[in-house]
Amino acid sequence: MELKNQTLIRTKSYINGQWCDADDGREFVVTDPATGAELARAADCGAAETARAISAAQQAFASFKMTTAKERAALLRRWHQLIMDNQEDLAVILSAEQGKPLAESRGEIAYGASYLEWYAEEAKRAYGDVIPTFANDKRIITLKQPVGVVAAITPWNFPSAMITRKVAPALAVGCPIVVKPSEETPLSALALAELAEQAGYPAGVFSVVCGTDAAVIGGVMTSNPSVRKISFTGSTRVGKLLMEQSASTVKKVSMELGGNAPFIVFDDADLDAAVAGAMASKYRNAGQTCVCANRLLVQDGVYDAFADKLAEAVAGLKTGAYTVEGANVGPLINRAALAKVNGLVRDALDKGATALAGGVGTDGDSQFYTPTILTNVTAEMDIFNEEIFGPVAPLYRFGTEQEAIEMANDTPFGLASYFYARDMGRVWRVSEALEYGMVGINEGIISNEAAPFGGVKESGIGREGSRYGLDDYLELKYLCMGGI
Ligand code: ADP
């Protein structure tokens, strides 16, 4: 990796303000998914190092919670500025370890940093209330206070933004936080820690523990009584496990889990806009986001026209490493991801689907999956129920609005949903009927720091971003003042 600022490449964990090797000296290899080449070796920390980070956070909490919102805002703003000053280098690190095109990485760094700026402003307004009393000699007051030490576990698909989305509200309200990034993408997390150190965060307030034994690190985080909150983004399977483990010490939890996003195109949609939205929602990050369109439901009258226009757009996609000019679809993250996507496409083709584009799997022995469109897909195929996490668009056909709503809601998940329509009555009816935490209406990209991101049903608990995201890191305390 060629960087302007090589100090951003950190390979040790950042615990209590120190860069630390693993206690037993073990390391793990970080690879470039586009080439399989080794990028770095990172410290492979485990239970003892995690416990140390938590204990440092607990110690730091005593003084950090006494800082003013304005002081914490100044730190966040400094960190935000440092991230934006180093945007290009951070984007290169991100693309190298994760595979997404450089333009997307630049976007992710700015998007991730925007949460720091947002919560620097928002935390100053964590107001309590004076509630009209029920008795004249008493007064009812509420205060908002930081929940305490937070532990966060984050995924590889947004190695930078999924960290800042949790760390920003925590630090804004005075909660120290220990982060375990994905073992696929530790370098982006450690680069953020380097800049947090430069911004002037006190030791222990923000630690990053990297390691390959996620179950062990997660076990310490969920069982340690000093940790008052777990914030997780990842699979529904692991989220459920962490909720179970957190029950023993009754921790607060925020969970951003899997999705199975419907993308509905009605007869009255602007088809060109729908195609543009589908391209952005489906093929961004090679289809590896939890809000990617997972099921494209298209009404009879426009099914063929939409499919043709989508195929035309998909023909313009180019797979390639972030170093290849013009490439806009990167590799899948690893072999397991590849095997999963291959299996889903094969099952659909075996059960009668047709490949309108792609359908051929990978390009040689690489981890680049050829962008694919499947038509004649039905709810009986595995791909209807599974999160694809790859550049594959399955097109389902429907007749009526009611049928589309029933198909869209026919899943245990409820994160993002999208639909394209112009009839005002339909826009309201469908928006209200979709059992999802987020609805994109004539929009394929909906995430931003000002809006509440989160899911219902098995897609999660809590919201990230917006003024609502702050509440997940605050306890509401009720004061009853008597004898007045
Ligand atoms: P994905 O399938 O997208 O990799 P995971 O849920 O497996 O999603 O991974 C998300 C994060 O959860 C990663 O940081 C990973 O290391 C971590 N993780 C995986 N298994 C566990 C576990 N048993 N306990 C705690 N964290 C885990």
Side-chain angles (χ1 to χ4, degrees):
M1 272 179 280
E2 278 301 310
L3 304 181
K4 283 196 246 31
N5 181 0
Q6 286 293 333
T7 61
L8 289 176
I9 306 229
R10 290 287 190 172
T11 56
K12 300 183 181 197
S13 285
Y14 184 66
I15 299 170
N16 197 17
Q18 306 285 324
W19 295 97
C20 307
D21 287 316
D23 288 357
D24 59 8
R26 280 194 314 154
E27 293 181 329
F28 66 100
V29 174
V30 186
T31 54
D32 177 343
T35 60
E38 177 177 324
L39 292 170
R41 283 169 186 261
D44 195 352
C45 295
E49 298 89 332
T50 307
R52 275 208 295 283
I54 293 169
S55 136
Q58 182 62 21
Q59 269 182 16
F61 185 45
S63 53
F64 194 52
K65 71 179 174 192
M66 302 307 288
T67 55
T68 63
K70 194 176 163 103
E71 287 165 339
R72 295 190 300 270
L75 280 168
L76 282 169
R77 276 202 311 273
R78 243 188 337 263
W79 192 16
H80 171 266
Q81 189 59 47
L82 284 162
I83 291 173
M84 293 313 294
D85 289 348
N86 289 279
Q87 182 183 15
E88 192 62 23
D89 280 351
L90 293 171
V92 170
I93 294 171
L94 204 168
S95 284
E97 65 178 350
Q98 199 274 347
K100 66 177 68 173
L102 211 44
E104 289 189 29
S105 291
R106 289 185 191 111
E108 179 180 341
I109 297 300
Y111 165 68
S114 73
Y115 286 88
L116 304 179
E117 185 185 46
W118 175 267
Y119 282 111
E121 294 157 356
E122 200 61 25
K124 294 176 185 168
R125 323 215 195 288
Y127 303 125
D129 310 294
V130 179
I131 298 175
T133 188
F134 67 101
N136 276 334
D137 63 341
K138 298 180 179 52
R139 297 292 181 270
I140 305 169
I141 295 162
T142 64
L143 304 180
K144 289 186 179 169
Q145 295 184 310
V147 296
V149 173
V150 178
I153 299 177
T154 56
W156 49 262
N157 61 344
F158 289 92
S160 191
M162 294 304 104
I163 293 177
T164 54
R165 241 170 40 170
K166 300 177 188 312
V167 172
L171 294 182
V173 298
C175 299
I177 180 163
V178 178
V179 176
K180 186 209 88 67
S182 167
E183 56 277 26
E184 304 281 2
T185 54
L187 303 179
S188 293
L190 294 170
L192 283 177
E194 163 65 26
L195 295 174
E197 184 176 50
Q198 288 180 26
Y201 275 100
V205 163
F206 173 49
S207 292
V208 177
V209 180
C210 298
T212 51
D213 202 339
V216 162
I217 296 174
V220 173
M221 288 176 155
T222 47
S223 62
N224 190 311
S226 296
V227 174
R228 293 315 317 149
K229 180 185 169 73
I230 295 283
S231 182
F232 174 71
T233 300
S235 61
T236 296
R237 181 187 68 81
V238 174
K240 287 179 180 177
L241 198 70
L242 294 173
M243 281 178 75
E244 261 177 54
Q245 292 173 195
S246 297
S248 64
T249 47
V250 193
K251 296 189 199 313
K252 277 168 103 79
V253 293
S254 287
M255 297 278 150
E256 297 285 1
L257 309 177
N260 185 2
F263 185 104
I264 313 171
V265 184
F266 287 102
D267 280 346
D268 61 322
D270 173 339
L271 279 197
D272 291 325
V275 168
M279 291 300 293
S281 168
K282 176 72 254 181
Y283 294 101
R284 184 167 64 110
N285 201 9
Q288 303 174 106
T289 90
C290 49
V291 293
C292 275
N294 209 53
R295 295 171 295 156
L296 285 80
L297 315 180
V298 189
Q299 199 158 10
D300 262 338
V302 292
Y303 188 95
D304 294 333
F306 176 81
D308 288 346
K309 279 174 182 282
L310 189 67
E312 231 174 88
V314 165
L317 292 175
K318 182 177 170 189
T319 54
Y322 74 100
T323 44
V324 174
E325 190 64 33
N328 46 21
V329 179
L332 298 188
I333 190 71
N334 55 33
R335 295 278 152 177
L338 204 59
K340 179 178 176 190
V341 179
N342 266 327
L344 289 173
V345 170
R346 206 164 305 128
D347 172 80
L349 292 173
D350 285 351
K351 290 179 181 160
T354 310
L356 184 63
V360 295
T362 53
D363 186 0
D365 185 35
S366 74
Q367 283 176 205
F368 292 96
Y369 197 90
T370 307
T372 294
I373 301 173
L374 300 176
T375 52
N376 303 320
V377 190
T378 66
E380 283 65 49
M381 301 172 186
D382 292 347
I383 205 163
F384 185 83
N385 298 309
E386 293 273 334
E387 196 171 30
I388 305 166
F389 252 58
V392 177
L395 269 54
Y396 304 81
R397 191 185 284 270
F398 70 88
T400 64
E401 185 181 304
Q402 193 50 34
E403 208 185 314
I405 290 167
E406 279 165 20
M407 278 172 91
N409 290 341
D410 182 17
T411 167
F413 298 102
L415 192 59
S417 56
Y418 309 86
F419 71 93
Y420 279 70
R422 281 182 292 197
D423 177 86
M424 276 303 281
R426 168 172 280 164
V427 166
W428 274 108
R429 283 192 303 274
V430 176
S431 298
E432 289 175 357
L434 287 171
E435 296 167 358
Y436 287 82
M438 298 176 281
V439 185
I441 305 155
N442 300 322
E443 282 294 338
I445 297 280
I446 58 178
S447 301
N448 60 79
E449 78 282 15
F453 185 106
V456 300
K457 293 163 80 177
E458 293 188 23
S459 287
I461 296 175
R463 293 293 179 269
E464 293 187 328
S466 82
R467 68 186 168 104
Y468 300 104
L470 214 56
D471 290 337
D472 285 19
Y473 294 85
L474 290 166
E475 287 287 8
L476 191 66
K477 183 182 276 180
Y478 155 47
L479 312 182
C480 182
M481 287 193 177
I484 289 170

